[in-house]
Amino acid sequence: TEILNNFCGYIVHHSPGPTMIVMPTEKLAQRWSKQRLRHMIEASPALRGLIRPASTRDAGNTTLLKEFPGGMLVIAGANSSSDLRSMPARRVLADEVDEYPENLDDQGAPLELAERRASTFVRRKVFVCSSPKLKATSVIWREYEASDQREFHVACPHCLHRQTLVIEQLLDDATYLCIGCGQRIEEHHKPQMLATGVWIA
């Protein structure tokens, strides 16, 4: 969800366009907008300058709609088929997809309905995240298996062995044991490791 929040900020500030954000229910959509999105906008001078305050008349800023130059964020609940059909969107950001209903008003899965909003855009992006539930019925697990399953690999500063970071290698003192050479990797190594990291399918 934090990545989704940051993606919203990036869209507003650097890459405007019509964007749909889908939460499991309209109630959760309103809560996310009020508690997470609003606070992010208020805390960021760059975003605050692009989205007018809700108190401004005709600001295009409501709980479920944030307009900004060149685009808008439309926030919808996965439990409303009318919300999911409401507009074309260059980007669709779907949060907690394992909480979505399986079939919405006999029109199909909410994620599929939302993804159709982006079908007319050549440079579309669909972002899907969730805490997984049971593997057999999990939407996020199915999405992961349909992907190239890429993971971020970083090089050990001592032996250059590329590896994904796993919690089992993290020690109590916040150092990390390299899987390749067994040496401790300190916190000060992290910026360079992340800067030279690569995604591997």
Side-chain angles (χ1 to χ4, degrees):
T1 302
E2 194 57 38
I3 293 170
L4 183 147
N5 298 342
N6 283 275
F7 194 11
C8 288
Y10 173 82
I11 290 166
V12 173
H13 191 218
H14 293 288
S15 184
T19 302
M20 177 177 279
I21 298 133
V22 184
M23 297 289 165
T25 65
E26 187 174 323
K27 183 177 180 180
L28 290 173
Q30 290 178 359
R31 183 183 308 160
W32 174 81
S33 179
K34 291 174 183 175
Q35 294 177 353
R36 304 289 293 271
L37 183 61
R38 189 183 91 214
H39 293 305
M40 182 177 72
I41 292 166
E42 290 172 354
S44 168
L47 300 180
R48 207 170 46 238
L50 294 171
I51 298 177
R52 290 183 281 179
S55 58
T56 307
R57 186 175 175 164
D58 300 324
N61 181 353
T62 65
T63 302
L64 299 178
L65 172 68
K66 306 292 181 190
E67 292 181 347
F68 50 92
M72 69 180 75
L73 302 176
V74 173
I75 307 155
N79 59 341
S80 170
S81 58
S82 60
D83 284 355
L84 299 180
R85 291 191 317 264
S86 66
M87 61 169 267
R90 186 169 142 210
R91 296 179 186 98
V92 173
L93 286 60
D95 193 21
E96 293 298 347
V97 295
D98 273 11
E99 298 296 328
Y100 291 10
E102 286 184 31
N103 189 332
L104 186 59
D105 302 332
D106 294 323
Q107 296 181 43
L111 182 58
E112 292 171 10
L113 295 174
E115 287 175 335
R116 286 185 210 147
R117 302 298 92 220
S119 64
T120 58
F121 291 87
V122 175
R123 293 183 50 86
R124 64 185 163 268
K125 177 72 76 177
V126 176
F127 174 88
V128 181
C129 65
S130 187
S131 300
K133 291 178 105 176
L134 295 175
K135 187 174 179 179
T137 58
S138 173
V139 174
I140 196 68
W141 184 257
R142 187 171 60 244
E143 291 290 318
Y144 176 72
E145 289 199 321
S147 75
D148 65 12
Q149 300 174 23
R150 64 183 57 210
E151 293 183 339
F152 194 65
H153 289 70
V154 294
C156 170
H158 308 296
C159 71
L160 302 180
H161 174 76
R162 288 210 174 270
Q163 59 199 294
T164 59
L165 300 178
V166 293
I167 195 74
E168 293 80 13
Q169 295 299 108
L170 187 63
L171 303 176
D172 289 339
D173 63 355
T175 59
Y176 188 86
L177 282 184
C178 173
I179 293 172
C181 68
Q183 290 195 53
R184 289 176 181 259
I185 300 171
E186 305 287 339
E187 178 69 22
H188 68 87
H189 292 116
K190 190 168 102 177
Q192 180 61 30
M193 291 170 64
L194 294 175
T196 58
V198 293
W199 288 96
I200 299 174

